[in-house]
Amino acid sequence: HSFDELKPLFNTSLQDGLDSTTAAGLLQKNGKNLLKQKQKNVFTQIVGYLFTGFCGVLWIASLICFLAWKPIGNPPDPTNLGLGILLIIVIMLQAGFSAFQDWTSSRVMKSIQNMMPNAAVVIRDGREHQIMATELVVGDLVLLTYGSKVPADVRLIECHDLKFDRSMLTGESEAIDGSTECTD
């Protein structure tokens, strides 16, 4: 969107920002500026680890091995029993590995959330205000200075030699230039 389209789209002024009443209404309507996390049911997680993906195929193979051992096998072949047990052990190892991956992923997400700034400087009613980053709303004019952490998704409307260090998120060592041009 062009800057002329932003004003009516977000009901804001590119010089004075939002007025306090509008900001309070948007905060009430849209909620706080927080990353939402779904609470997962532990039982469904465990079932998911045990039966999704390749584990479903392994369960079928294990069942076939057990059936080939006792009811179908005449005389029962202990090799089929061993294969069925081995497949169940592989399923348990795969489920444990998946659970470990989820646990480490959740730790990374928590560390990213801890990197989020607590406060932000915005222009509301034509004046600078320092507010909690959770109270940012769509249409707020956020001021970024050297060393600031970006408190939300923002569209740059003015910048002077602005660079972003994304090394904590992407591993890129080079800072990228900020631009008022809209990108994907």
Side-chain angles (χ1 to χ4, degrees):
H1 296 289
S2 71
F3 293 132
D4 291 332
E5 294 171 327
L6 291 177
K7 290 187 271 186
L9 182 65
F10 295 120
N11 194 23
T12 189
S13 163
L14 297 181
Q15 290 78 29
D16 297 330
L18 293 172
D19 62 74
S20 298
T21 308
T22 304
L26 287 170
L27 184 63
Q28 183 71 26
K29 177 184 171 192
N30 299 328
K32 293 188 176 241
N33 177 34
L34 293 170
L35 294 174
K36 294 186 178 19
Q37 288 186 342
K38 291 192 305 184
Q39 294 289 13
K40 294 183 180 178
N41 183 341
V42 175
F43 177 74
T44 56
Q45 275 186 306
I46 292 171
V47 168
Y49 295 144
L50 290 173
F51 294 101
T52 57
F54 193 63
C55 286
V57 175
L58 291 177
W59 277 113
I60 293 170
S62 176
L63 179 65
I64 290 171
C65 288
F66 283 122
L67 290 175
W69 166 62
K70 200 62 169 180
I72 297 174
N74 192 7
D77 186 3
T79 306
N80 290 332
L81 174 64
L83 247 147
I85 292 171
L86 180 65
L87 286 172
I88 288 177
I89 291 171
V90 168
I91 292 169
M92 295 302 160
L93 288 173
Q94 173 64 34
F97 182 69
S98 295
F100 178 73
Q101 279 185 317
D102 276 358
W103 177 71
T104 55
S105 301
S106 69
R107 285 185 51 213
V108 168
M109 280 304 294
K110 284 180 186 174
S111 71
I112 289 174
Q113 283 182 333
N114 290 337
M115 289 177 7
M116 295 296 293
N118 294 328
V121 178
V122 297
I123 297 176
R124 287 190 182 165
D125 300 317
R127 294 188 323 268
E128 289 184 21
H129 297 277
Q130 185 166 355
I131 63 170
M132 297 297 296
T134 57
E135 295 176 6
L136 282 172
V137 294
V138 174
D140 264 331
L141 290 182
V142 180
L143 296 177
L144 298 174
T145 59
Y146 181 76
S148 295
K149 293 180 181 177
V150 180
D153 288 341
V154 295
R155 167 76 190 272
L156 298 177
I157 58 172
E158 183 180 330
C159 67
H160 305 284
D161 296 327
L162 183 65
K163 293 192 181 282
F164 292 101
D165 177 13
R166 299 188 310 175
S167 61
M168 295 296 286
L169 297 174
T170 64
E172 296 175 18
S173 59
E174 293 291 323
I176 62 167
D177 292 326
S179 170
T180 59
E181 298 299 318
C182 191
T183 64
D184 59 352

